[in-house]
Amino acid sequence: MPVTGERVLDLFQGARLTPTQRRIAQILVEHSGKAAYLSAAEVAGLAGVSQPSVTRFAMALGYPGYPALRRELRALAAGAPSEPAGRNGMQRAVLAEAEHLRRLAEDLGQLDDVREAATILAASRPLPVLGLRAAAPLAAYFGYFAAKVFPDVRLLDGGGTGLLDRLDQARAAGASALLAMVLPRYPRESVTAIREARSAGFTVVAITDSAVSPITEVADLVLPAVVGTRLVFDLHTGPMTMAMVLLEAMCDTAPEPVHRRLEEFEAAAAQRHLFVA
């Protein structure tokens, strides 16, 4: 039974891969239906790399060689569940998101990366948050709530040369870190901005969709969360959850009293009658 690209992608989550290795991973995902039956030479040909590169890729994932990785792919194929009977496409998409969240919950059993990212970001004054194109709503969502706790959150959701100017301004104001939300199809401007930020001395934390994202090669610390691909447009349930988990961890490590700032906001909201309930 063919295995889905999402299940193949799970094998690469958390791995630090070189650009060549990411290319190999992308080929296995794109050809997930037959990946378990491709030889190392065939994978190398499809990816346009050398056969030893395929062997090194398997070893980077913790396997003794490509044959062991292929056995794992065949085991996935043998145990791949069929689509639930009687489910329509909308239901399957939502159920797939539920599975993504279940796996994310398992990954969060180890919080070292989240806590490290939280410490880095919570200490930055101001805190710039980058999100272009599809990631702009996610960056705005994070920024809206982060601004209730942190005094100077700067949303960078527009591209062009002005984006680099705003990064320069944040750095001049004392910013030490950048949070970047970068989702498929990975805007070129986001990659450029991250590179410029690192050159300027920022530490870059990125939320992206997988370990084979091109962002893993340009950010200092990556927090992956799977993007749903079963509808015409992607579902960002996983990255949104990761963003809120990160914000929670930032609140835990914030150098200023979080509850005091929240109480001040609630008092101001009540005085201004911002909400009806």
Side-chain angles (χ1 to χ4, degrees):
M1 185 178 299
V3 62
T4 65
E6 290 173 357
R7 298 196 71 194
V8 173
L9 191 57
D10 286 342
L11 296 176
F12 315 139
Q13 294 295 348
R16 287 280 185 172
L17 303 176
T18 67
T20 295
Q21 290 166 348
R22 283 192 286 106
R23 174 62 182 158
I24 297 169
Q26 289 166 351
I27 286 298
L28 291 177
V29 171
E30 291 170 7
H31 295 82
S32 57
K34 61 179 182 180
Y37 308 100
L38 295 173
S39 68
E42 289 170 327
V43 173
L46 289 169
V49 302
S50 67
Q51 189 168 332
S53 293
V54 176
T55 300
R56 288 192 292 270
F57 165 73
M59 295 176 70
L61 297 177
Y63 298 96
Y66 180 74
L69 173 57
R70 187 167 62 176
R71 285 195 294 273
E72 181 72 17
L73 291 169
R74 287 180 177 175
L76 282 178
S82 59
E83 295 285 7
R87 302 287 191 184
N88 61 43
M90 307 297 185
Q91 290 175 304
R92 289 194 294 271
V94 173
L95 288 171
E97 285 301 282
E99 177 63 14
H100 292 159
L101 290 179
R102 185 191 67 78
R103 294 176 185 173
L104 178 58
E106 290 182 355
D107 292 341
L108 290 173
Q110 295 293 329
L111 288 172
D112 292 349
D113 284 350
V114 172
R115 287 173 176 155
E116 180 182 356
T119 300
I120 291 168
L121 296 171
S124 182
R125 296 288 187 278
L127 174 60
V129 180
L130 172 69
L132 303 181
R133 295 187 178 270
L138 176 58
Y141 185 80
F142 176 92
Y144 173 79
F145 290 106
K148 297 182 184 303
V149 179
F150 299 96
D152 191 357
V153 177
R154 301 189 182 187
L155 181 62
L156 308 178
D157 59 356
T161 56
L163 172 59
L164 300 183
D165 290 343
R166 294 176 70 189
L167 277 174
D168 290 341
Q169 291 161 8
R171 184 62 176 162
S176 58
L178 168 72
L179 174 60
M181 316 282 195
V182 190
L183 302 176
R185 300 168 55 192
Y186 316 117
R188 188 180 303 276
E189 284 183 303
S190 295
V191 177
T192 299
I194 291 172
R195 287 189 173 129
E196 289 285 341
R198 291 190 68 188
S199 296
F202 286 89
T203 300
V204 179
V205 175
I207 294 178
T208 190
D209 64 308
S210 78
V212 301
S213 163
I215 305 309
T216 60
E217 296 303 316
V218 293
D220 294 286
L221 185 59
V222 172
L223 303 177
V226 176
V227 165
T229 59
R230 295 199 173 207
L231 298 179
V232 174
F233 298 106
D234 289 346
L235 291 168
H236 296 157
T237 313
M240 179 174 287
T241 302
M242 178 61 83
M244 290 298 100
V245 166
L246 175 60
L247 182 55
E248 180 79 8
M250 289 172 62
C251 291
D252 290 341
T253 62
E256 298 177 9
V258 170
H259 294 297
R260 178 177 59 81
R261 290 189 59 83
L262 288 175
E263 288 171 0
E264 290 173 354
F265 170 78
E266 292 298 334
Q271 182 178 8
R272 298 166 184 166
H273 306 288
L274 297 182
F275 308 110
V276 297

